[in-house]
Amino acid sequence: MLLISWNVNGIRACRAKGFDEALRAWGADIVCLQEVKARREQVEDWNPEDMGYHVYWHPAERPGYSGTAVLTRRAPLSARYDMEGHTGEGRILTLELEDFFLVNTYTPNAQRELTRLEYRLVWQDAFRAHLTALDAEKPVLVCGDLNVAHQEIDIARPKANRRNAGFTDEERGKMTDLLGAGFADTFRALYPGRRDAYTWWSYMGGARARNIGWRIDYFLASHRLMPRVEDAMIYPETEGSDHCPVGMRLIG
């Protein structure tokens, strides 16, 4: 089973830059999108249902902001939106499949000058509780833009970014806590020493061309799912957003 996750930074803009072609080329079983920045009816003349996908859409209440979506060939048993105490921004979309939960998420950014760091940390604690509750029922796959470079190997310039949003000690600590609650970073588990593997680049200064990036997009898996994880991939050659897609192959 091939799963893809991509922060598209606006699905309408990304479609104008080749999203549809990438979707057809992948032929993926499940595609999770973050930062769609649109309601479903605003994405005109787009019918992934014609490609065999069931479409689940979770926009933010604020127009042109945040939002998540999942395209899946496997009809889920149920769909859940948001988590208790944190609604309105379309950041969490949970599908229950036969043998695992799939959680697509767009984690809040701490923002410049860390103006939203306090909320981000509260959100992280609630998200960890959400995942562990699901994991008590059946295994969990988590994907999306987690807005944190966990280790120094996951960022091109760790010293220069030490107190910037996405690389604060507090955010990295919350990621450590999440992994310690029974989850694995699939890419780093399979490729512990791989460097220069990034998923987001600033639009400034030709950062992408020079590969001055951050790895902030992930697939996480419950530990008991890891024997089924065949591979974890990053697709830096796929453009259309300031993020690139990430993927994983799951046996069965």
Side-chain angles (χ1 to χ4, degrees):
M1 178 189 299
L2 175 62
L3 299 94
I4 299 290
S5 175
W6 195 5
N7 179 323
V8 292
N9 193 15
I11 183 61
R12 289 170 291 180
C14 194
R15 286 191 67 216
K17 300 174 184 176
F19 174 86
D20 293 359
E21 291 78 4
L23 181 63
R24 284 192 290 269
W26 291 326
D29 298 282
I30 298 175
V31 179
C32 296
L33 308 177
Q34 304 89 43
E35 208 171 358
V36 293
K37 295 183 177 180
R39 299 187 306 276
R40 179 68 176 92
E41 60 270 22
Q42 291 178 295
V43 190
E44 299 177 354
D45 303 321
W46 188 54
N47 296 295
E49 295 89 347
D50 293 343
M51 298 174 61
Y53 288 111
H54 304 272
V55 178
Y56 293 83
W57 205 267
H58 188 30
E61 293 175 0
R62 173 180 161 189
Y65 177 72
S66 190
T68 50
V70 177
L71 316 180
T72 174
R73 298 189 190 278
R74 299 172 61 180
L77 302 177
S78 66
R80 310 181 191 183
Y81 300 86
D82 295 319
M83 62 183 175
E84 186 176 354
H86 299 271
T87 62
E89 295 190 357
R91 291 190 179 276
I92 300 175
L93 178 49
T94 301
L95 300 186
E96 182 181 1
L97 302 176
E98 294 86 350
D99 48 349
F100 62 87
F101 286 105
L102 174 69
V103 181
N104 179 26
T105 187
Y106 176 39
T107 300
N109 191 298
Q111 301 296 333
R112 290 183 180 180
E113 300 183 6
L114 306 180
T115 56
R116 216 181 187 201
L117 178 60
E118 183 176 352
Y119 174 72
R120 159 69 182 263
L121 300 179
V122 170
W123 191 96
Q124 284 284 172
D125 288 339
F127 186 58
R128 185 175 68 252
H130 176 71
L131 296 182
T132 55
L134 293 174
D135 195 44
E137 297 183 42
K138 62 176 68 174
V140 179
L141 283 179
V142 184
C143 70
D145 175 2
L146 302 191
N147 257 320
V148 62
H150 185 218
Q151 303 176 48
E152 290 194 354
I153 196 175
D154 298 317
I155 185 170
R157 293 178 175 172
K159 291 181 180 179
N161 286 287
R162 176 70 184 277
R163 285 299 296 169
N164 286 342
F167 199 62
T168 63
D169 293 346
E170 295 91 334
E171 292 166 292
R172 295 169 66 198
K174 292 298 184 185
M175 182 66 163
T176 298
D177 291 345
L178 177 55
L179 297 177
F183 301 95
D185 171 354
T186 60
F187 181 83
R188 195 54 71 197
L190 294 176
Y191 304 104
R194 183 168 293 180
R195 296 184 174 276
D196 303 320
Y198 306 126
T199 66
W200 175 82
W201 302 263
S202 169
Y203 282 128
M204 305 293 289
R208 188 162 188 165
R210 296 186 295 141
N211 199 28
I212 308 299
W214 303 44
R215 189 174 74 93
I216 60 175
D217 301 87
Y218 296 81
F219 272 95
L220 310 182
S222 297
H223 285 161
R224 61 191 186 279
L225 265 183
M226 283 304 294
R228 293 178 56 189
V229 177
E230 184 176 27
D231 201 3
M233 303 82 75
I234 298 175
Y235 301 96
E237 71 284 354
T238 302
E239 299 185 352
S241 168
D242 50 349
H243 296 249
C244 74
V246 297
M248 67 169 294
R249 290 192 179 276
L250 192 68
I251 298 169

